Amino acid sequence: MNPLIISIRKELKASADKKTWESGQRFFKEPLLAYGVKIPAVKAISKRYTQEIKGLGKRGVFELCEVLWQSGYIEEAMIACHWSYAVRKDFVPDDFKTFKKWITNYVSNWATCDTFCNHTVGVFLEMYPDQLDSLVKFSVSKNMWLRRAAAVSMIVPARKGMFLETIFKIADKLLEDKEDLVQKGYGWMLKETCKKHQPEVFKYVMTNKSKMPRTALRYAIEKMSKEMKDQAMVKQTN
């Protein structure tokens, strides 16, 4: 076992407390494997060890990330998310295969899905927009975390006004998804898109509101004016 991994696990165990562990169990619907370490403490440990992995190169960092993901512990997964983002300057197009594998095999809750996709996958797509079609394919996967990933990977680009066409493609494919966390994911994506493209998002919502689950609809219109919200929330009648 790599000495860095051993040291990190010792620190995580030393930083754990029962109340944090119990709180985490209540916070997620899915079974949660956790040490019970507060998020600021996890971030501090991750940041401290980031200095030590800089000399390993991207390949070495990804190998450590794989070990952390494999553990199943949410705290270790969060560190893996931070470390993969730390080597973003070295991303190449083929890294998308690795990212897809990690989501498919290891993501099991919204927190790790969002942390990984908002940052690592989001910046990757900004660097390599020719990979957007591969992301859109996530939205028709049987794996609900890949479907949520399709939406939440667009969060940061959406705030910048990027990839509007792709965002609507993803929303189209997730429009009637039955999973609550997927509905919230694409609703969040549309909400962030509103910051630069509110008229387009409002038009999209008004066109599709009869099919959109109310959960997704409420998320999508959260930052709109009261007048827009009122129009969007009126149920259509035959």
Side-chain angles (χ1 to χ4, degrees):
M1 180 63 65
N2 186 287
L4 283 176
I5 300 293
I6 294 172
S7 296
I8 285 170
R9 288 176 176 168
K10 284 182 179 178
E11 285 205 41
L12 288 171
K13 289 176 182 177
S15 303
D17 67 79
K18 187 177 180 180
K19 286 186 178 179
T20 301
W21 183 88
E22 290 174 344
S23 175
Q25 302 304 312
R26 294 192 298 268
F27 205 60
F28 297 91
K29 294 190 295 184
E30 304 80 23
L32 184 70
L33 185 61
Y35 291 99
V37 183
K38 290 182 172 66
I39 291 175
V42 175
K43 288 183 177 178
I45 293 170
S46 176
K47 185 176 181 180
R48 187 161 62 253
Y49 282 93
T50 299
Q51 302 303 313
E52 298 191 36
I53 65 170
K54 284 186 174 179
L56 298 176
K58 186 189 70 178
R59 181 175 178 180
V61 172
F62 277 13
E63 288 174 356
L64 292 178
C65 289
E66 180 81 23
V67 174
L68 292 167
W69 277 114
Q70 285 176 350
S71 76
Y73 281 88
I74 188 171
E75 294 92 344
E76 293 192 32
M78 288 295 187
I79 294 173
C81 293
H82 298 154
W83 283 4
S84 61
Y85 183 69
V87 294
R88 59 193 178 277
K89 291 182 180 179
D90 298 322
F91 287 169
V92 296
D94 204 49
D95 289 332
F96 192 80
K97 296 175 184 176
T98 299
F99 301 156
K100 180 182 178 181
K101 183 185 76 169
W102 288 347
I103 298 167
T104 302
N105 294 342
Y106 306 128
V107 166
S108 59
N109 58 71
W110 61 262
T112 52
C113 184
D114 296 1
T115 302
F116 181 61
C117 293
N118 283 181
H119 303 290
T120 297
V121 182
V123 75
F124 171 86
L125 292 166
E126 290 183 19
M127 293 170 67
Y128 301 107
D130 58 324
Q131 298 292 315
L132 286 167
D133 286 344
S134 296
L135 181 76
V136 174
K137 292 176 183 177
F138 284 11
S139 58
V140 294
S141 172
K142 292 181 180 179
N143 183 322
M144 68 168 283
W145 299 115
L146 280 172
R147 300 201 306 276
R148 182 175 172 98
V152 299
S153 294
M154 289 284 95
I155 296 299
V156 175
R159 290 171 183 163
K160 301 175 183 178
M162 301 174 71
F163 308 145
L164 184 63
E165 181 180 350
T166 299
I167 285 167
F168 286 145
K169 282 182 181 179
I170 291 170
D172 281 346
K173 293 184 182 299
L174 299 178
L175 193 64
E176 298 181 79
D177 201 290
K178 303 302 181 185
E179 291 288 347
D180 177 70
L181 286 172
V182 177
Q183 296 170 14
K184 290 177 179 177
Y186 90 78
W188 180 22
M189 174 183 70
L190 292 173
K191 178 176 72 173
E192 296 300 333
T193 306
C194 269
K195 293 178 178 178
K196 298 290 185 180
H197 297 287
Q198 187 177 87
E200 293 92 336
V201 174
F202 181 67
K203 180 180 178 181
Y204 182 87
V205 168
M206 293 302 292
T207 300
N208 294 286
K209 67 177 186 174
S210 63
K211 296 180 181 179
M212 289 179 75
R214 302 299 270 186
T215 297
L217 178 61
R218 289 190 182 96
Y219 267 75
I221 65 175
E222 187 176 319
K223 298 297 182 181
M224 293 182 183
S225 67
K226 183 179 184 305
E227 182 182 358
M228 287 179 167
K229 287 180 182 178
D230 289 345
Q231 289 183 58
M233 291 301 291
V234 172
K235 292 185 177 182
Q236 292 180 333
T237 57
N238 295 328

